[in-house]
Amino acid sequence: MNVQAREILLFAPDLLGESLAAELSTAEHPLSIRRSSEALESHPDLVIWALPGRSQSLLLDREILQLQQRWTPSPILLVLPSDFSRDPRELLALNCEGVVQDPDLEGLRSAIQRLLQGGRVLAIESSASTADHPVQPVGAASWLLLSGLQQISADLQVIEALLNPPPEQSLLRLLLEGRRRELLSARNLLLWLWGPLQVGLDHAVALSQPKESISLSIRDRNTEAVWEAIQDRLQTAVSGGLGNGTGQLLAIEGLHPERRRDLLLALLQQLHTVLQRLRQEAPAAPLSQQDLRKRWNALQPEVRQQALRSVAGSYVRLPLGEAMQPVADELLKRTDLLRGDEELPDPMTMLAALVQDQPVLVDGQLLPSDDPRALLQLETLISNWLVRTAELIGGELLGVCGEWPELRRYLLDHALISTRELERLRNQLNSQSRWQEWIERPIRLYESRRLLYRLKSGQIEPLLLTEPRDEELKQLQWWQQQVALLVEARDAIAPQVQSLVKRFGDLMVVVLTQVVGRAIGLIGRGIAQGMGRSFGRS
């Protein structure tokens, strides 16, 4: 059976263009590569623009826009060289169907076929910019603050390098993680005392050149394909193992690594089932945003129960007292899965896009869900839901294991089989939860920030998102409101205190130089004159 060749318009340097024109076409996927618009027989199915090495990126946005205007509706595939150093986050705003950096031949063929089928491809990796920033003059107090933060930053970089990969010795790993938490607390204390840092850490030197890579592949431009891409990325991240990069304790750290992975994968599968159910219900009876939110909240206990049953195993039995009891049924009886997490954002942000195919608001722009920027934001929201829901279930499992010793060998990490270690972890988690609820959450509400958890580079990392939270601030209890008032008072008093300290310092300078200094000078001059007269008489 003869397959009709797809016509491709290729813009590339001479040597690279000749090589690609000769090797891109295969028997399974024949392609007609045209090196100029005059050679085209019809409108091209795809336009490829391969940049030469050491190319300038200043006019890249304009050139892409001109290609899109000239060859619409053909998709554009941008091929970047390996030394292209533009920030990957800026490349997301090109609104280009395909962007790949230094691909091999098979990777380029795969990207071409994905675009010809109506999908999107993004595979870029770029070093952080090393351009020198202008140094701004700072005062003595700012210099001391900057010096302290630079030292903390350097120590944190050393510890992160030692923890990646984590050492095999458990004691060394615990010491390094404890030291990292201490340094993060010290940095937060400095910023709390002195206010937000207005000057960057320009002189901090990284141990290695930081790189940021983004790889996306969407088979189509609809919501099902977007969710499929997000699900594949999260499954890959969870299956590879996740470290704790949040700087605080997590309940799921107490679970056995296999149970932790099973819990996250089970929650991801349950989310897939919920989205399918909501999509099936929508055509029959279109749901308003309020009804969709209520439906989502009503399904959350069922999602947690099914995930817990999947982790425990439907046929696993363990001794409880004098009889063997099914683990899954006993866990469902002993756990409270109806509690919610107040730090979870409004679910409509992701449900509107993944269920109702509505655009996503990203940095003040409404973008379709298949746009890379919107897809990455949806992935962050889903990752946050995944981790926070797993934390709720993990905390309940730790509580049940405290009452059911035989369950510890099956669910928990080996270090928590000891009653003392398990109770120590639970006490630390409870203390941390109270501190966050009474102190940190009111401060975040007053600062209009929300703490999200995302899966990145094999770790669970924190992300502070700025958004209005005035309604939640009004619902705080009395003690939490006092904490917010203290922060407000600190902001109001800090300028006056700084001005007072500055004026007191100026006054001390005047006293020391004009009064004390002159007095010391006069005394010294008198002594010198007296010694001169004595020597003259002798």
Side-chain angles (χ1 to χ4, degrees), residues 173-424:
R173 179 179 178 181
L174 290 176
L175 290 174
L176 291 174
E177 291 177 348
R179 180 60 176 165
R180 179 173 62 183
R181 287 194 293 269
E182 291 176 357
L183 291 171
L184 291 174
S185 300
R187 184 176 64 182
N188 293 335
L189 180 61
L190 281 177
L191 295 176
W192 167 258
L193 292 175
W194 291 89
L197 181 63
Q198 301 297 332
V199 291
L201 300 179
D202 300 321
H203 302 288
V205 179
L207 296 177
S208 59
Q209 187 70 12
K211 290 183 178 293
E212 183 177 358
S213 60
I214 303 175
S215 179
L216 296 174
S217 180
I218 311 175
R219 62 173 176 81
D220 208 339
R221 308 287 292 273
N222 51 38
T223 56
E224 289 81 2
V226 170
W227 163 244
E228 181 181 329
I230 295 175
Q231 186 179 19
D232 291 342
R233 286 170 56 85
L234 293 179
Q235 283 180 344
T236 303
V238 171
S239 300
L242 293 173
N244 182 6
T246 62
Q248 59 186 11
L249 288 175
L250 295 177
I252 56 176
E253 285 186 285
L255 301 180
H256 191 277
E258 293 184 3
R259 302 293 176 264
R260 186 190 317 151
R261 182 190 61 204
D262 294 343
L263 175 60
L264 292 172
L265 291 177
L267 285 172
L268 193 59
Q269 180 60 37
Q270 290 301 316
L271 179 59
H272 174 71
T273 303
V274 168
L275 291 178
Q276 282 186 330
R277 184 186 302 182
L278 293 177
R279 291 195 196 103
Q280 292 173 359
E281 294 176 357
L287 299 176
S288 63
Q289 289 194 355
Q290 184 177 1
D291 294 336
L292 185 59
R293 185 184 294 106
K294 291 181 179 179
R295 182 64 175 150
W296 166 265
N297 293 332
L299 290 174
Q300 292 308 294
E302 180 182 350
V303 168
R304 298 168 188 171
Q305 291 174 2
Q306 294 301 324
L308 182 58
R309 184 178 293 277
S310 177
V311 172
S314 301
Y315 304 101
V316 178
R317 292 175 175 267
L318 290 177
L320 178 61
E322 299 179 354
M324 301 291 290
Q325 297 292 340
V327 174
D329 295 340
E330 196 66 27
L331 286 178
L332 292 177
K333 293 178 183 178
R334 292 170 174 260
T335 54
D336 179 15
L337 301 178
L338 299 179
R339 294 188 303 110
D341 191 340
E342 296 178 341
E343 283 298 299
L344 277 172
D346 187 1
M348 284 307 303
T349 305
M350 61 180 182
L351 294 180
L354 297 177
V355 176
Q356 299 178 336
D357 196 16
Q358 295 184 7
V360 182
L361 182 63
V362 181
D363 295 332
Q365 297 181 351
L366 286 174
L367 304 175
S369 58
D370 63 281
D371 188 281
R373 291 167 290 177
L375 189 147
L376 292 176
Q377 178 163 310
L378 291 174
E379 181 183 341
T380 299
L381 295 175
I382 295 172
S383 301
N384 180 68
W385 174 87
L386 199 64
V387 174
R388 289 191 175 276
T389 306
E391 276 290 284
L392 291 175
I393 299 176
E396 293 293 327
L397 290 179
L398 292 179
V400 176
C401 287
E403 304 172 355
W404 190 355
E406 292 80 3
L407 188 62
R408 300 175 192 173
R409 293 183 181 274
Y410 179 64
L411 286 182
L412 300 187
D413 189 79
H414 180 74
L416 297 180
I417 295 178
S418 168
T419 302
R420 178 182 179 182
E421 295 299 327
L422 176 58
E423 293 303 322
R424 178 185 298 175

